[in-house]
Every structure is written in structure tokens, then in C-alpha cells.
Amino acid sequence: MTRVVVIGAGIAGLTTCLRLAAAGAQVTLLTKGIGGLQLSQGTVDIFGYAPHRVGCPLEAVGDVARDKPDHPYAVIGAEAVRTGAEFLRDAVGPDLLTGDVGSNHQLPTAVGAVRPTCLAQPSMIAGECRDGARFTIVGLRQLKDFPAALIAGNLARTVLDGGGRMSARHVVVDFPARDGEADSSGLVYARAFDDEGFRGRFAELVASLVTDGEVVGLPAVLGLNDRSAWRDLADRIGHPVFEIPLPPPSVPGMRLNETLTAAVKAARVRVVLGSRVTGVDAEPGRVRAVSIAAAGGPRKFAADAFVLAAGGFESGGLVLDSYGRVSETIFGLPLAGLPEAPDELVVGEFWGAEQPLFAVGVRVDERMRPLGADATPVYANLHAAGGVLAGAQRWSEKSGEGIALGSAVRAADAIVEESE
């Protein structure tokens, strides 16, 4: 049985573990924390902007793969992205992710913009921005991160692709999650909405404020553990409802993280939490083991193959020091996308040209093996997936989950193929 060590518990690492375990590999997951999914919107972005809103993300992936040879999609390819997104959707089930991998939803954000995303939680789908939609955005006075007036105002001003428009208004209700609490977090409300009695009282209040034909937009706090809470609330109000994700930490992101982590453990993946990799045991062309700090001395994990899914700058997989030097923190891999001068890593106009720093990372071949300056794999049994890959502007093009899932599939399938 092939032994694989996966480093990192974000969407790339967890998906890689699941796919390897499904193929019969013996998998160990090393992670220093609980992964970055809880900072996400709980949706799957494959490609959102090019530069305008994208309707068919896989077509955009194909265009990028053809036109930008340095982009990760050029080696991942649209079919691996489709396979990865469908694999994840099937793994977590229809109660958590829904949608056609070939098309984007157009859903409201917490500032009232329209955001293209491919797979979304079913509690968000009624918020599809289409011509003639009528929204009532309901704010909670005790939840400060959900500006209902701003959201409704911006949605009402939005001209949709093709020229259509929506109408939107807002109301704010005084409905504390806990008696006497004036400032509650989204997580506190999510736990409150897990309770049927709380939902019943809230629905009675909101139903009196909505008119015929309106769809009710609410902050994405409609239950943490009860996945049917949003549907129960809609039935009680008598109108469709939809969730709008808030700034992190994100309740939809927590739902996705908890479900994926449970699936990984159910697949008998060995999860070692709190394990920052501190050492690498390698011979020319091959990694033999990695080590983590432990009481009594380093603890070594040997394997036949390794997958680096530790993320990019946001998770410490890549770091930038005060001299403008960028480095990969575990294997010390060569990086691509570096400009000639460190002061060119960040351009001055934040909303203008693409930031070179965001595109820095590890360049890989089609089997997701990191490449050196001579374009050959640094280690034959080391693969990389997710945010550490070079060449993408994930934040602006909204491609993060698509790159993570496609590269996870490529890496896992390559390892399985090499073991046969």
C-alpha cells in the first residue's frame, strides 16, 4: 500500500487526502492548524472575472490555459478542474454544495456587489441576481458585520449582464441572539438559529415585514449544525430566503471545513493536528521523510510520496522578509514569478495593475511536481497543490478553489498511477 504524507488542511490538502484514500493509499495529514476553509465564503470559485463577470467558468479556464502558459490552469487543465469540483461536491453532499460545474451563480456579497461563484451552498441559491428579482435584505441590529442598507442600495443600483435590474429594500430588526447582548458574532447567531424555537420567533417577526413576491436576504448565520435550518425558516416565513456570506470567520466556511474534515477522518486518514513541519530528510531527487517538532525531539514521518498543500502567503507556506526576499518555508523550493528587483513585487496602485507578489509561487509539471530552474522536478516523489502554485491572481480572478481542486486531483492521481 502506497504511503503518502499530505501537508496542509485547506481545501487542497483535504481533497487530496480524500482522493488518495479512496484509491486505497495509506494517508497521513500533517497540519499546523485547522486550515483556511473557515476564512472562505463556503463556496467554490473556479473563475469569476476575466476581467468582467464570467458565466461559464470552465470555458474561462480553457482560455487561460491557452493564453497564459505561466498560469496554473495551463498545466492543470479544465478537465481536472471539473473532476475536482465534482469530486468535492459529491464528497460533501447536496445539503452543502450544489450547482453545475459548467456555469456560475451570480450571488450578492456583504457589500451588495454581485459575485460569480460556481458551487454554492443551497441556502444561498435563492439570491440569484436576475432581471426582475425583488429582494428584502433583513439586517440584525446586534450583528454589526451585515450592513443591510448598503447591500440593498448597491443591489438596487446594479445593472446586470445583459441590462437587467433588480429591486431591493432593507429592514433592520431588533432580535438579539442572547438576551441583553448588544453586539453578537455570526457564530453566536448561527448557534441560536440551530434552535427551532429561536427560528420560530424570528420567522414570525420577519413574515410581518415582507410583501408578496419578495425574496428574503439574511446574513449567512442560519444554523451551524442544522443544515436544514434555512429551509425551515423559509417555510415558516412563507417566502424564499437566502444567505449572504459575511467577512471571516465564516459560518458557511466552517460548515464546509467540518464536513470535509469529518469525511477525511471517516476515510481513515491519519490526522496529526498542531504539527508544523520543521525538517526534511531528502536524498538527491527524492524526499524520504519530513519531521515535526514534538516532546522529546523531532518526530519523523517517512512515506513513498509527499504532497505540499500548505498554501501561500495567507497561511505561511510562502513568506516575504524585510529585504524583499520570498521563500517557500518547508522544502525551500525554487520560486517562479519573481521580478528582477524586490521593490517591483508590489505596485503602488492597489486597484490597478496586477500585483506581481500574488503570482509568486512554485512552478509545477502536469503531475504537480515542483520544478527547478532547469524545468525538471526537484524531487520525483514531491507534488504540490493549491495556493503555493505560481502564476495566478486568485484574489482578483476568483480562481482559488478551482486551482486547489484541479491540482489536488492531478497530484493524487499521479501518485496513484506511479504506485501501480
Side-chain angles (χ1 to χ4, degrees):
M1 182 181 293
T2 300
R3 300 171 304 161
V4 186
V5 167
V6 177
I7 304 167
I11 192 170
L14 294 172
T15 304
T16 302
C17 288
L18 277 181
R19 195 161 178 88
L20 286 167
Q26 182 185 79
V27 186
T28 298
L29 173 63
L30 303 180
T31 173
K32 64 181 181 182
I34 53 177
L37 263 174
Q38 296 183 97
L39 302 177
S40 77
Q41 303 280 288
T43 58
V44 172
D45 295 342
I46 288 179
F47 215 99
Y49 296 93
H52 302 294
R53 285 193 290 267
V54 167
C56 302
L58 290 179
E59 289 184 8
V61 170
D63 292 342
V64 170
R66 183 186 62 244
D67 300 336
K68 296 184 176 180
D70 293 332
H71 195 285
Y73 280 151
V75 290
I76 295 171
E79 193 53 39
V81 175
R82 175 194 293 278
T83 301
E86 291 178 345
F87 180 82
L88 176 70
R89 184 186 60 190
D90 295 344
V92 300
D95 286 344
L96 200 55
L97 280 181
T98 186
D100 176 1
V101 175
S103 63
N104 273 337
H105 295 288
Q106 309 290 336
L107 302 177
T109 74
V111 295
V114 177
R115 181 173 71 96
T117 191
C118 186
L119 303 181
Q121 301 194 6
S123 55
M124 303 172 182
I125 300 302
E128 189 78 41
C129 295
R130 54 171 62 95
D131 186 27
R134 295 175 56 205
F135 296 143
T136 296
I137 308 300
V138 178
L140 297 159
R141 194 172 305 283
Q142 292 78 15
L143 182 61
K144 304 299 190 295
D145 289 337
F146 189 75
L150 175 70
I151 296 169
N154 283 341
L155 288 175
R157 284 188 286 271
T158 297
V159 178
L160 299 171
D161 298 340
R165 301 188 76 106
M166 306 159 287
S167 65
R169 66 184 181 94
H170 82 281
V171 296
V172 177
V173 298
D174 192 348
F175 202 83
R178 296 186 289 213
D179 289 343
E181 193 166 82
D183 189 0
S184 298
S185 70
L187 183 57
V188 169
Y189 266 106
R191 288 174 173 150
F193 274 107
D194 277 337
D195 179 71
E196 283 189 37
F198 183 87
R199 293 201 297 265
R201 296 190 296 275
F202 181 78
E204 184 176 359
L205 172 60
V206 172
S208 66
L209 304 172
V210 186
T211 62
D212 290 346
E214 289 185 321
V215 182
V216 180
L218 294 161
V221 296
L222 305 184
L224 179 62
N225 299 313
D226 185 349
R227 301 293 159 76
S228 65
W230 68 274
R231 189 176 286 111
D232 176 57
L233 196 61
D235 291 343
R236 291 171 185 261
I237 295 174
H239 290 254
V241 305
F242 63 95
E243 289 187 304
I244 302 175
L246 306 179
S250 156
V251 171
M254 293 177 71
R255 295 174 192 147
L256 189 55
N257 182 65
E258 290 179 3
T259 302
L260 259 182
T261 302
V264 163
K265 292 179 178 176
R268 305 183 69 82
V269 172
R270 180 186 182 192
V271 179
V272 186
L273 187 63
S275 53
R276 182 188 295 273
V277 175
T278 55
V280 176
D281 183 358
E283 59 190 25
R286 199 164 187 86
V287 178
R288 294 192 300 185
V290 294
S291 301
I292 64 172
R299 184 179 174 192
K300 187 176 290 188
F301 293 83
D304 303 304
F306 298 81
V307 180
L308 174 63
F313 293 103
E314 72 284 0
S315 58
L318 300 172
V319 295
L320 171 68
D321 68 17
S322 57
Y323 296 96
R325 296 175 301 208
V326 185
S327 56
E328 186 277 310
T329 56
I330 295 178
F331 293 93
L333 295 169
L335 298 178
L338 292 167
E340 293 185 3
D343 60 2
E344 295 174 357
L345 278 168
V346 179
V347 298
E349 189 179 358
F350 187 79
W351 296 109
E354 293 180 346
Q355 295 289 346
L357 179 65
F358 292 162
V360 174
V362 175
R363 189 161 57 103
V364 292
D365 65 7
E366 291 185 350
R367 304 178 83 82
M368 298 296 111
R369 294 176 300 187
L371 300 177
D374 59 355
T376 62
V378 179
Y379 298 110
N381 64 337
L382 175 63
H383 305 256
V388 75
L389 301 186
Q393 296 284 332
R394 295 172 180 78
W395 313 113
S396 58
E397 64 193 25
K398 300 299 178 188
S399 61
E401 288 85 17
I403 292 171
L405 295 170
S407 57
V409 164
R410 282 279 191 182
D413 291 0
I415 292 169
V416 172
E417 183 181 322
E418 289 159 7
S419 68
E420 293 175 346

